[in-house]
Amino acid sequence: MNEHRADIPKPPQDWWEQVPVLRELFKLLSSTDPVNWDLARQVAYSLGSHDEPPSEDFEDCRRELETMSRAAQVQCEQFTGLVPGTVAPVIGVTRGQWVEENVAVFKMLMEPLAAKLTGPALTGGIPVPIPESAAMVLRQIGGVLMGLQTGFVLGYLSRHVIGQYELVLPDPSGGRLLYVIPNMQQAEQDWELDPREFRYWIALHEVTHHLEFSRPWTRRYFHSQIQTMIDSLDFDPARLQETLEGFDITNPEKMAETLQDPEALIQAAWTPLGLDTMSRLQAFMTLVEGYATFVMDAVGAAVLKDHARLKEVMERRKRTSSPGEQLLERLLGLELKRKQYDAGVKFCRYVAGVHDVAFLNKAWDNPDSLPTASEIDNPDGWIERMSEAGL
C-alpha cells in the first residue's frame, strides 16, 4: 500500500532561519529566563519612542542642565549641610535611552518576582511536582508574559518621567543625574512654563535626592529593603496557569487588557516579614520625598520668581500618576499615597522648626536614625528618641 508513496525531501539544515516568522517565534520561545528582556525592550521602545519628536536643541539643553545642576547643588549643600561623596555626571537622554538606562533597575525588581511566579505550584506550602516538559512551557510562556508586562511599565514610564529620581527606584548604577529631555520640553509646553525656571526647579529635586542617596548607607539600605520585600512575597503560581488558560495570543486587544492588569497575572500574599519590611520601606520613602520637597521649597522660594507656579505644577504631577507608575505600584504592591508625601514634608518642617536643619539631618546618620512610620506622624517621638540617644 505504501509502494507509491512519494518521499518527502528533507529540508536543508536550519531552513527555518530563512522564514522570518518562524525565526522570530523560535527566538521568542527559546529563552527560559524569568523575563524575556529582548521582548521587554522592544515593547518599551515601541510605546515610548514611536512618536518622539526630534530634539534640535538636545545638546544645548543638556549643557544648560549641567550648569543648573551644579548651581542647584551648591544651593542645596549650603541649605542642608549635606555634601555628596562624588560629583554626579549630568546625562540628557531620549525616552528610548531612558529605557535602556533603566533595564538594569527593572531586572533587579522583576526577575525575583518572575522567578517566584514561575516556580513550582504549592499545596499547603509543599511543592507539587509537575512534568519537566510542562515546567519548561510554563517558564517560556511566563518569561514572555513578564517581558510584555515589564515592557508596558518601562514604555509608559519613559513617556512621563523627567528626572531619574522622580521615581524612587533602586538604581544600581547610582550617582548620576539623568534628565529625559523630550518629556521636560513637553511639560514646559503643556504648562506654559519658563524653561530656565522649570529646569532649575527639576535640578533642585534631582540634586536633593542625590544628596540623600550619597550617604554611605542609604543606597544599600534601600536595595536591601526592596530585596527583602520581594523575597518575602508569597506567590501562587496557579494564578499564572489560570491566566494562561484564557490567554488568546490571536487577540491583541485582549492580551493588552490582561497585561495592563497585573492582578490578572500576579497575586501575591503578604507575609509578616513582608508587611514589616513594607512599613520600613514606606517610612524611608516618605522621608526621602518629604525631605526633597522641604529643601526644594526652601531653596526654590529664595531663587525662583515662579516658585509658586512651579510648585503647583509638581503637585498636580504627583496627584496624577502615569499609567506606568500605576502598573509598577500594582506589580510591587508598593504605593505611596498623596497623604504620605504630605506627612513627610510636615515631619521635616516640624523638626527643622523646633530645632534646625542640622538636627533634621540626624535622620541620615544611619539606619537606626530613620524615623519609623509612627514617628513620621509623631515627630516629637523621633526628636525625643534622637535626643535621648545623644545623636
Side-chain angles (χ1 to χ4, degrees):
M1 186 168 63
N2 295 327
E3 292 179 2
H4 303 290
R5 185 181 67 182
D7 291 332
I8 300 176
K10 184 178 180 180
Q13 187 177 10
D14 297 332
W15 62 272
W16 55 270
E17 291 187 357
Q18 307 306 314
V19 183
V21 172
L22 290 179
R23 185 173 64 245
E24 291 302 315
L25 181 61
F26 179 80
K27 182 179 179 181
L28 188 66
L29 296 178
S30 62
S31 173
T32 57
D33 292 335
V35 180
N36 189 313
W37 288 105
D38 285 340
L39 180 60
R41 281 186 176 91
Q42 291 182 37
V43 170
Y45 275 116
S46 176
L47 288 175
S49 303
H50 70 91
D51 61 348
E52 188 169 33
S55 179
E56 296 178 356
D57 60 342
F58 182 92
E59 187 57 30
D60 289 342
C61 183
R62 193 203 65 79
R63 283 197 296 266
E64 184 179 53
L65 284 168
E66 181 162 13
T67 299
M68 290 183 171
S69 297
R70 301 304 172 223
Q73 182 167 322
V74 171
Q75 293 280 352
C76 291
E77 287 179 11
Q78 289 177 348
F79 178 77
T80 65
L82 299 179
V83 180
T86 58
V87 176
V90 175
I91 307 171
V93 296
T94 65
R95 293 170 187 157
Q97 289 169 332
W98 183 89
V99 168
E100 193 59 42
E101 290 284 344
N102 282 274
V103 165
V105 177
F106 278 77
K107 280 187 176 182
M108 182 184 298
L109 294 172
M110 303 306 297
E111 288 198 340
L113 286 172
K116 279 177 166 281
L117 186 65
T118 57
L122 303 176
T123 298
I126 301 174
V128 177
I130 59 175
E132 178 56 30
S133 58
M136 177 69 73
V137 171
L138 184 62
R139 287 193 293 271
Q140 289 174 327
I141 300 300
V144 170
L145 291 181
M146 291 302 294
L148 287 169
Q149 188 92 76
T150 304
F152 271 108
V153 174
L154 274 168
Y156 283 129
L157 288 176
S158 74
R159 301 180 66 84
H160 178 78
V161 296
I162 293 175
Q164 182 67 25
Y165 288 110
E166 188 171 354
L167 299 170
V168 183
L169 293 173
D171 179 7
S173 65
R176 63 183 180 177
L177 301 176
L178 197 69
Y179 299 98
V180 187
I181 292 179
N183 294 345
M184 178 177 288
Q185 294 174 334
Q186 188 64 52
E188 292 165 0
Q189 295 173 17
D190 291 345
W191 296 96
E192 299 180 348
L193 301 170
D194 180 288
R196 289 187 61 82
E197 292 260 312
F198 181 63
R199 292 169 191 180
Y200 194 85
W201 178 250
I202 296 299
L204 285 174
H205 180 268
E206 297 297 293
V207 164
T208 304
H209 278 313
H210 175 61
L211 290 176
E212 294 169 338
F213 282 99
S214 292
R215 302 305 90 203
W217 59 272
T218 47
R219 194 174 300 277
R220 292 194 306 271
Y221 176 83
F222 186 43
H223 287 190
S224 68
Q225 296 302 309
I226 287 280
Q227 195 64 53
T228 300
M229 184 192 72
I230 293 174
D231 290 344
S232 68
L233 293 176
D234 185 12
F235 287 99
D236 179 9
R239 183 75 173 182
L240 176 60
Q241 297 179 41
E242 291 175 9
T243 301
L244 292 178
E245 290 175 1
F247 198 76
D248 185 0
I249 199 169
T250 65
N251 187 338
E253 290 186 3
K254 185 66 176 177
M255 283 177 60
E257 182 181 327
T258 300
L259 292 168
Q260 291 181 43
D261 181 11
E263 293 172 4
L265 179 62
I266 296 177
Q267 188 175 48
W270 288 99
T271 62
L273 175 60
L275 290 171
D276 183 59
T277 304
M278 171 64 75
S279 177
R280 291 196 301 273
L281 187 58
Q282 287 191 329
F284 176 77
M285 293 173 69
T286 299
L287 175 68
V288 164
E289 286 300 321
Y291 188 90
T293 302
F294 166 70
V295 174
M296 287 173 69
D297 285 347
V299 176
V303 300
L304 297 173
K305 60 180 175 53
D306 289 338
H307 171 256
R309 168 71 171 146
L310 294 167
K311 183 174 174 61
E312 176 192 356
V313 169
M314 294 304 290
E315 291 291 327
R316 290 189 184 184
R317 280 178 63 84
K318 287 180 180 179
R319 286 196 296 267
T320 56
S321 58
S322 70
E325 290 175 285
Q326 295 171 22
L327 280 169
L328 181 61
E329 289 170 350
R330 292 170 69 186
L331 275 169
L332 297 177
L334 180 62
E335 186 176 359
L336 273 184
K337 304 292 187 182
R338 177 68 240 169
K339 64 180 182 181
Q340 290 175 291
Y341 286 115
D342 292 340
V345 178
K346 290 177 181 178
F347 173 87
C348 293
R349 287 176 180 160
Y350 182 86
V351 173
V354 171
H355 289 276
D356 52 24
V357 177
F359 191 93
L360 173 62
N361 284 345
K362 293 178 183 294
W364 304 115
D365 286 349
N366 57 66
D368 293 333
S369 297
L370 287 171
T372 63
S374 61
E375 288 173 338
I376 291 285
D377 294 325
N378 176 29
D380 284 324
W382 181 80
I383 291 173
E384 181 179 355
R385 180 162 68 86
M386 292 298 100
S387 299
E388 290 178 351
L391 296 174

